[in-house]
Amino acid sequence: MCATFLPVPSVTVLHIVLRYTIAAIVAFFLLRQVRKPSRWLGRPFLWMMNLSHSRLTDSGLQHVRIENNFRILDVGCGGGRTIEKLAALAPQGKVDGVDYAPGSVAASRARNKKLIAERRVAIEQASVSRLPFAENTFDLVTAVETQYYWPDLLHDMQEVLRVLKPGGTLLVLAESYKTGSLEFIQRPVMKLLRSTNLGLEDHRALFSSAGYTEVEIFEDRAKSWLCGVGKKPLATKLET
């Protein structure tokens, strides 16, 4: 009886498999740095986020009113560029920043070191699901390229609503969303990051369901930019 032997993979095939396995592991790690940057390895990603989000932020801020003495919160402050912009727009106010990633907090603090020393800016590690602020604190809350990572969208939108002053505004900015002009490129990556994928009407419904009024959704389709704005209702007067 003749023995049969299974073919042994060649060294070349094994190298290819190993190479792609390593590439997949590295890609997964790098994607995690986008979602939650670490203190040191996340720095290049935070620098790139500051650069790539800047024009989107400038465009979105045109849809809200900012007064000199506003108290502002930036949720998911990343590398700290948005905090810097907000502090310039409210020179007599104060800007707080929160991020759940220690790497982002460190980078934001480093970028805004002078403003922190002047007590015009404060940055701390915290989750949007449990903001460390009292009710009715902020005139404006911004969320730039971060909302689709929030763990419980409805609850987290309501948590932001809690810390807004009556009549205060939430500004949400995103360049990855359902039906966006670049969705076919962005969606596979965002799926790996376990992010939500909302469309324009989904955003409108989310704002409304969370209790916001005067909801407006803007889209710059050519750039694949989405801007959502909603206000905390004014306190109603009790009837006497």
Side-chain angles (χ1 to χ4, degrees):
M1 180 181 294
C2 296
T4 58
F5 298 92
L6 294 175
V8 178
S10 67
V11 173
T12 302
V13 171
L14 290 173
H15 281 172
I16 292 173
V17 171
L18 181 61
R19 187 182 308 152
Y20 276 98
T21 300
I22 293 173
I25 293 171
V26 171
F28 178 75
F29 176 77
L30 294 179
L31 285 173
R32 285 186 61 83
Q33 289 297 309
V34 172
R35 180 175 179 130
K36 190 175 183 179
S38 61
R39 189 177 181 88
W40 302 113
L41 294 176
R43 287 296 178 93
F45 294 91
L46 291 166
W47 179 84
M48 288 187 292
M49 289 177 197
N50 278 340
L51 187 65
S52 64
H53 298 170
S54 183
R55 291 175 60 233
L56 168 64
T57 303
D58 291 339
S59 175
L61 289 175
Q62 295 178 20
H63 294 290
V64 296
R65 176 181 60 87
I66 300 179
E67 295 185 5
N68 285 346
N69 62 347
F70 263 20
R71 180 81 184 270
I72 306 172
L73 171 64
D74 185 36
V75 175
C77 57
R81 181 71 177 98
T82 298
I83 288 177
E84 191 176 45
K85 291 175 182 285
L86 293 169
L89 292 170
Q92 298 173 24
K94 183 182 178 183
V95 180
D96 289 271
V98 295
D99 201 293
Y100 82 142
S104 296
V105 172
S108 288
R109 285 175 175 168
R111 185 178 185 104
N112 293 282
K113 183 177 180 180
K114 183 174 183 293
L115 291 170
I116 292 172
E118 295 171 353
R119 297 187 177 180
R120 293 184 52 210
V121 163
I123 300 166
E124 58 185 299
Q125 186 174 350
S127 169
V128 64
S129 299
R130 191 174 182 181
L131 295 170
F133 305 103
E135 295 181 8
N136 308 325
T137 298
F138 298 101
D139 300 284
L140 172 67
V141 176
T142 59
V144 181
E145 294 277 60
T146 181
Q147 188 205 41
Y148 30 63
Y149 300 136
W150 293 0
D152 186 340
L153 274 176
L154 182 59
H155 169 272
D156 298 341
M157 290 283 283
Q158 291 171 335
E159 176 66 355
V160 171
L161 189 72
R162 180 185 69 79
V163 301
L164 276 171
K165 295 177 181 178
T169 303
L170 168 62
L171 171 69
V172 172
L173 300 176
E175 58 183 0
S176 177
Y177 56 95
K178 191 186 298 182
T179 72
S181 59
L182 298 178
E183 183 190 13
F184 70 100
I185 297 174
Q186 296 164 335
R187 189 168 186 177
V189 176
M190 299 305 284
K191 189 173 182 179
L192 287 173
L193 292 170
R194 303 192 310 276
S195 66
T196 56
N197 187 40
L198 303 181
L200 275 66
E201 292 308 312
D202 298 324
H203 278 280
R204 190 186 306 279
L206 178 61
F207 269 91
S208 298
S209 297
Y212 293 82
T213 59
E214 300 181 45
V215 178
E216 296 182 283
I217 307 296
F218 306 93
E219 180 187 24
D220 186 333
R221 187 161 180 78
K223 297 184 176 71
S224 191
W225 287 352
L226 180 146
C227 170
V229 179
K231 290 185 177 294
K232 182 172 182 174
L234 293 170
T236 56
K237 294 181 179 180
L238 296 175
E239 294 184 3
T240 57

